[in-house]
Amino acid sequence: MNPDQLARIEDNRAKARERLAARASEKAREAARQAAEQAAAASAGVSVAGGQKPTLNSVRDASAATGTKRPYDDIRPAKKFTNYIEYDLAKIRDTKGGYMAEENAPEGMSLEEWQKKNKPVFEQPRALNPEDNPTCFECGTFDLDYELFKTFGCRVCKACRNEKPEKYSLLTKTECREDYLLTDPELRDVELLPHMERPNPHKMTYNNMMLYLRYQVEEFAMKKWGGEEGLDKEYERRMILKKEKKDKKFAEKLKQMRKRTRTETWNKKMNETEHRHVWGAQLQSADSDVVVRMCEECGMETEELLF
């Protein structure tokens, strides 16, 4: 073999020895890491079999015991996603009937309140006696809209609800205030006017909408204002007061504007340069010694007596 081939052989041998040394050091680091994890798990009271890789629970418990942070521990969901329920896959257990997660209430809320808030709406079972079952106001069927029945106590089926929106449609809080002249304390009182909350469709960060049943709002408004005539009179009275208030505000603004205009005009006159008279020819009468002079610019006249 020539010298170039011998040099290549020696170079390849050196590279192979470097790779073997790197593999040996990597195995040593992996063994040291596993020993450290096993020691941390043992100090936290978690048993890990020798030679086995620690589980996720053991690593979590060891991290909590030693006070070290794991990756992504500081990541939190955005504010608009806080209403969603997040499941920790490590806490899900097999109940032989499905995978169930351990129920943990969010901060600032008890477990009973959280369960009550997230309790699903199930239709009420029917009684064996048909006379004991609630029926629809309109058609008398047993298939009620259970959501309206539970929230508003309204016995109506979905078909009748869709056929008569002028009676069973939902109104927002703003519509109740503007169209029926109801106040916020009345709308917040659940005993007077029950309502349901829904996410705001305009923006997720806005407050939830408060929806009211139309015929209940109309009945309460008619009782409060004494019928449609009373409601119309109150509406006209408020419109008159609103117009008077608007006119008064406009008059006040106009008064302030005139005052500012007069002040600016006076200041402008004060800041102008001093006027100097340009006198014309002297006019003297034949029978007196009085001389009259007049300014050519402003028209001012003076009389002077000659001695």
Side-chain angles (χ1 to χ4, degrees):
M1 290 187 292
N2 54 28
D4 294 336
Q5 294 176 346
L6 293 176
R8 281 199 300 269
I9 291 173
E10 292 297 331
D11 189 15
N12 292 336
R13 287 179 180 176
K15 291 181 179 179
R17 285 193 292 268
E18 290 178 0
R19 286 195 293 270
L20 290 175
R23 290 177 184 175
S25 61
E26 181 66 25
K27 289 182 180 180
R29 286 196 297 268
E30 182 67 21
R33 185 181 63 81
Q34 291 181 0
E37 290 179 355
Q38 292 178 3
S43 62
V46 181
S47 60
V48 180
Q52 294 182 358
K53 188 176 180 180
T55 61
L56 183 61
N57 290 331
S58 64
V59 174
R60 182 184 293 105
D61 297 337
S63 301
T66 56
T68 58
K69 287 188 177 181
R70 297 177 301 144
Y72 312 116
D73 280 350
D74 295 334
I75 296 178
R76 293 292 180 270
K79 183 179 180 181
K80 62 181 179 180
F81 295 118
T82 53
N83 293 333
Y84 295 92
I85 302 174
E86 181 181 0
Y87 294 100
D88 190 352
L89 300 180
K91 296 181 179 180
I92 293 180
R93 53 189 177 86
D94 186 6
T95 60
K96 307 303 180 183
Y99 290 90
M100 305 295 293
E102 298 179 2
E103 295 183 350
N104 293 326
E107 297 181 1
M109 184 183 298
S110 63
L111 182 59
E112 291 76 10
E113 295 176 352
W114 183 79
Q115 290 177 347
K116 184 178 180 181
K117 181 179 180 181
N118 295 277
K119 185 178 181 181
V121 178
F122 297 106
E123 187 174 355
Q124 186 177 6
R126 296 181 183 177
L128 296 177
N129 187 6
E131 297 180 356
D132 297 336
N133 294 318
T135 57
C136 177
F137 287 132
E138 307 295 338
C139 61
T141 182
F142 297 110
D143 298 329
L144 302 180
D145 190 337
Y146 187 69
E147 187 176 13
L148 292 185
F149 179 70
K150 180 184 177 182
T151 306
F152 302 102
C154 176
R155 294 187 285 112
V156 63
C157 62
K158 293 184 178 180
C160 295
R161 175 187 177 184
N162 296 331
E163 290 178 0
K164 297 184 178 181
E166 71 279 359
K167 185 176 181 181
Y168 300 109
S169 59
L170 298 177
L171 300 175
T172 61
K173 186 177 180 181
T174 304
E175 291 174 339
C176 295
R177 283 202 307 259
E178 295 180 354
D179 298 342
Y180 297 95
L181 309 181
L182 302 182
T183 60
D184 286 341
E186 293 172 345
L187 295 174
R188 285 195 297 265
D189 193 346
V190 183
E191 296 181 357
L192 292 178
L193 290 172
H195 64 271
M196 65 170 61
E197 293 188 5
R198 289 293 180 269
N200 199 306
H202 300 288
K203 199 170 184 180
M204 297 183 65
T205 54
Y206 289 169
N207 293 332
N208 293 336
M209 290 193 307
M210 298 173 64
L211 302 177
Y212 302 83
L213 200 58
R214 181 181 290 273
Y215 84 90
Q216 293 182 354
V217 175
E218 290 181 352
E219 289 179 357
F220 181 79
M222 295 302 107
K223 183 178 178 181
K224 176 181 179 181
W225 302 115
E228 295 182 1
E229 295 181 358
L231 180 61
D232 293 340
K233 290 181 180 179
E234 179 64 20
Y235 183 80
E236 292 176 0
R237 187 184 70 84
R238 294 192 181 188
M239 289 296 102
I240 293 173
L241 291 177
K242 184 177 180 181
K243 186 176 182 302
E244 290 178 355
K245 185 177 180 180
K246 186 176 180 181
D247 294 342
K248 184 178 179 181
K249 186 176 181 181
F250 176 77
E252 184 66 24
K253 287 186 176 180
L254 186 61
K255 181 180 178 181
Q256 295 294 333
M257 185 184 67
R258 289 174 176 173
K259 185 184 295 185
R260 288 195 303 269
T261 304
R262 288 196 300 268
T263 305
E264 291 175 359
T265 304
W266 176 257
N267 292 334
K268 184 177 180 181
K269 290 182 177 179
M270 292 295 293
N271 294 330
E272 288 180 354
T273 57
E274 184 179 357
H275 174 65
R276 296 183 179 276
H277 299 289
V278 179
W279 304 109
Q282 299 181 0
L283 300 176
Q284 184 178 3
S285 59
D287 55 351
S288 66
D289 296 335
V290 177
V291 177
V292 179
R293 293 192 304 172
M294 184 176 65
C295 178
E296 296 179 354
E297 292 184 359
C298 63
M300 179 179 176
E301 295 182 354
T302 60
E303 295 179 356
E304 298 178 1
L305 183 63
L306 297 179
F307 297 99

